C-alpha cells in the first residue's frame, strides 16, 4: 500500500487509516459526526493526496486527448477544467477524470488505483502524435476544502480576498510559498475548492490552511465523512458506483459528455443510447430506513431482480440509512418499494440528491 505523504502529521492528530485503490487514506479522526457537522457549518480540509495525477505534454497533447475522452478539450479555455470519462469501443468506462488545461500541459486527476490503467489505455492509441504521458502522482498532490467558510479560509491563508470559484474554474496562486492551483469543486459541496500543490510542499500548504482556518472552526475531514457527503449529494465514484462495465449515462454522467465535439472512443454507443432516449438501468437513490445491508446487495420487485446497491451510509440529512444503486428503468419512480435480496426488508426509490 502506498502511504500518505503526510501520514506522520495525521497520526499525531489521532487519525485512523484505511485504503482505497491500493493507496492509504485517513478513514477518520475519531468523530465522523463532528467532521460532518464542520463540513456543513464551517469548513473542513481533506487530504486527497491518495488520488493520482497524469500529465500530458507535447504539441499534439490537446487534439490527442480530445479524441480519447467524452468531453470537449480542444475548445476548453486554458486555466479551466472539465470532467470527462474514458470509454472502450463498446461504451463502457475505463475511468473518469478531471482535466486541467494549462499553458504547457494537461493534468488528469484520477481515482486512486486507476493511474496505470489510464496510462495504458491512452498509450495504446498514442501512435504518431506528438504527445507524451508522464506519471505525476509523485510530483503533485490534492487537498480538498469543503464547507460554507471555505472562501474565508483561503482568504486568510492567501493574505488577500479569495473570490469564490465556480465549478471546474481554476486559478493559479502562491500559498505557503508554493505555486498551487485552486480548482472549484462543487460536486459534493457548493463551496468546495481543491488545492493542487507540489507534493514536496504539501506539508507547508496543509499547515497553512489549518492554521488560517483555526479561528473559523476548520477541522480535518476523513474519507468516511467525505463518502457520507458524496452519497448524500448523489455523486457516483469510480471503483465504487462505476466499474468497467458501466456506461456513463447509466451513472447520470451527462455533464461529462459533449454532444458537439468530434469523434472519440465509444462515441457510437453513447450516441445510440442518447437517440434511444433511455438506459435499461440508472443510478438512483434508495431510502433504507434501519435496514442494514452492504453494497452489492440485490434489489428485487416481486420475483424479478431489478438492481443492486453500490454505496451505503447512514445519512444525517435523511435521518436514516440511504444508498446509491442501479435500478431497472421500470422501477425508477420515486416511492417505488423494492425488497433487498430475499426479503422481507423493503426499501424505497428516492430522487437524488437526498434531502431531509
Amino acid at each position: 500500500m502506498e502511504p500518505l505523504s503526510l501520514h506522520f502529521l495525521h497520526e499525531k492528530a489521532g487519525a485512523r487509516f484505511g485504503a482505497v485503490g491500493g493507496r492509504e487514506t485517513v478513514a477518520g479522526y475519531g468523530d465522523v459526526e463532528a467532521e460532518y457537522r464542520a463540513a456543513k457549518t464551517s469548513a473542513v480540509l481533506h487530504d486527497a493526496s491518495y488520488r493520482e495525477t497524469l500529465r500530458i505534454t507535447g504539441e499534439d497533447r490537446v487534439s490527442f486527448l480530445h479524441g480519447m475522452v467524452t468531453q470537449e478539450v480542444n475548445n476548453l479555455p486554458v486555466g479551466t477544467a472539465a470532467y470527462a470519462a474514458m470509454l472502450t469501443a463498446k461504451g463502457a468506462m475505463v475511468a473518469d477524470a478531471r482535466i486541467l488545461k494549462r499553458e504547457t500541459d494537461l493534468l488528469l486527476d484520477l481515482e486512486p488505483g486507476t493511474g496505470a490503467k489510464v496510462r495504458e489505455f491512452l498509450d495504446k492509441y498514442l501512435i504518431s502524435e506528438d504527445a507524451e504521458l508522464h506519471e505525476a502522482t509523485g510530483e503533485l498532490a490534492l487537498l480538498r476544502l469543503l464547507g460554507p467558510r471555505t472562501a474565508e479560509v483561503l482568504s486568510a491563508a492567501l493574505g488577500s480576498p479569495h473570490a469564490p470559484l465556480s465549478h471546474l474554474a481554476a486559478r493559479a496562486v502562491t500559498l505557503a510559498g508554493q505555486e498551487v492551483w485552486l480548482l472549484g469543486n462543487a460536486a459534493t459541496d457548493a463551496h468546495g475548492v481543491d488545492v493542487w500543490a507540489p507534493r514536496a510542499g504539501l506539508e507547508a500548504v496543509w499547515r497553512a490552511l489549518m492554521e488560517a482556518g483555526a479561528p473559523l472552526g476548520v477541522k480535518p475531514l476523513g474519507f468516511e465523512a467525505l463518502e457520507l457527503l458524496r452519497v448524500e449529494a448523489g455523486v457516483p465514484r469510480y471503483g465504487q458506483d462505476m466499474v468497467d462495465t458501466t456506461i456513463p449515462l447509466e451513472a447520470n454522467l451527462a455533464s461529462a459528455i459533449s454532444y458537439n465535439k468530434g469523434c472519440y472512443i465509444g462515441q457510437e454507443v453513447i450516441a445510440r443510447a442518447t437517440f434511444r432516449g433511455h438506459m435499461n438501468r440508472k443510478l438512483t437513490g434508495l431510502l433504507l430506513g434501519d435496514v442494514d445491508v452492504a453494497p452489492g446487495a440485490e434489489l428485487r420487485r416481486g420475483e424479478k431482480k431489478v438492481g443492486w446497491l453500490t454505496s451505503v451510509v447512514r445519512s444525517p440529512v435523511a435521518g436514516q440509512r440511504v444508498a446509491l444503486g442501479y435500478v431497472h428503468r421500470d422501477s425508477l419512480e420515486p416511492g417505488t418499494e423494492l425488497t433487498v435480496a430475499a426479503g422481507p426488508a423493503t426499501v424505497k426509490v428516492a430522487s437524488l440528491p437526498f434531502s431531509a
Side-chain angles (χ1 to χ4, degrees):
M1 180 175 67
E2 184 70 26
L4 286 167
S5 299
L6 302 182
H7 177 100
F8 70 96
L9 190 152
H10 300 305
E11 192 172 39
K12 286 182 179 178
R16 177 170 47 85
F17 296 94
V20 178
R23 301 183 68 89
E24 185 177 60
T25 64
V26 173
Y29 296 88
D31 190 340
V32 172
E33 290 185 7
E35 295 168 34
Y36 175 89
R37 285 196 302 273
K40 292 291 188 179
T41 60
S42 55
V44 291
L45 182 61
H46 174 70
D47 184 352
S49 62
Y50 52 82
R51 295 183 66 84
E52 299 188 45
T53 304
L54 187 68
R55 190 162 67 93
I56 308 179
T57 59
E59 290 295 321
D60 299 332
R61 64 187 181 278
V62 172
S63 58
F64 168 67
L65 189 62
H66 184 82
M68 299 299 299
V69 301
T70 56
Q71 190 57 275
E72 175 68 51
V73 182
N74 281 344
N75 295 318
L76 183 67
V78 170
T80 58
Y83 176 61
M86 283 162 271
L87 311 178
T88 67
K90 294 183 178 180
M93 291 184 68
V94 174
D96 64 348
R98 282 183 306 170
I99 302 163
L100 175 60
K101 192 175 191 178
R102 304 196 298 184
E103 285 285 355
T104 59
D105 61 14
L106 296 165
L107 295 180
L108 274 64
D109 169 46
L110 305 166
E111 287 288 340
T114 64
K117 179 183 180 183
V118 168
R119 186 169 181 177
E120 181 181 354
F121 170 74
L122 294 176
D123 196 48
K124 175 182 175 182
Y125 294 95
L126 184 54
I127 301 171
S128 59
E129 295 88 353
D130 178 9
E132 292 185 36
L133 310 175
H134 310 268
E135 197 286 320
T137 307
E139 303 170 21
L140 297 165
L142 210 66
L143 302 178
R144 179 162 292 168
L145 275 166
L146 302 169
R149 307 197 76 173
T150 289
E152 294 175 73
V153 173
L154 283 170
S155 294
L158 293 168
S160 60
H162 164 74
L165 287 164
S166 59
H167 186 53
L168 296 177
R171 183 182 303 145
V173 299
T174 300
L175 201 164
Q178 305 294 317
E179 296 300 315
V180 307
W181 279 88
L182 303 180
L183 180 61
N185 182 3
T188 59
D189 176 82
H191 314 280
V193 174
D194 286 352
V195 182
W196 225 334
R199 193 169 287 271
L202 194 62
E203 181 182 354
V205 174
W206 173 276
R207 290 187 183 279
L209 290 170
M210 289 299 294
E211 289 170 10
L216 301 168
V218 71
K219 288 183 178 295
L221 182 85
F223 188 79
E224 290 177 1
L226 181 67
E227 282 287 274
L228 176 50
L229 293 165
R230 177 187 69 81
V231 174
E232 285 187 340
V235 178
R237 176 168 65 84
Y238 188 85
Q240 184 70 34
D241 311 283
M242 303 179 289
V243 294
D244 59 8
T245 56
T246 305
I247 295 173
L249 294 173
E250 295 176 331
N252 305 321
L253 298 192
S255 64
I257 300 169
S258 169
Y259 292 98
N260 300 315
K261 61 177 287 184
C263 295
Y264 59 88
I265 308 297
Q267 182 189 32
E268 290 184 7
V269 176
I270 299 300
R272 283 200 303 270
T274 302
F275 177 76
R276 192 168 65 232
H278 67 262
M279 300 298 298
N280 285 334
R281 59 179 177 240
K282 294 202 74 171
L283 191 74
T284 190
L286 294 137
L287 300 175
L288 307 183
D290 292 325
V291 178
D292 187 6
V293 290
E298 184 179 291
L299 298 171
R300 304 184 72 87
R301 189 175 185 184
E303 298 299 314
K304 184 179 179 182
K305 177 183 176 181
V306 295
W308 66 94
L309 303 181
T310 57
S311 290
V312 182
V313 299
R314 179 169 288 280
S315 164
V317 75
Q320 60 182 295
R321 292 174 67 82
V322 301
L324 300 180
Y326 287 94
V327 172
H328 190 273
R329 59 190 175 91
D330 292 340
S331 301
L332 279 171
E333 182 68 25
T336 301
E337 288 199 354
L338 307 174
T339 57
V340 180
T346 61
V347 302
K348 287 185 180 180
V349 175
S351 301
L352 293 174
F354 292 102
S355 58

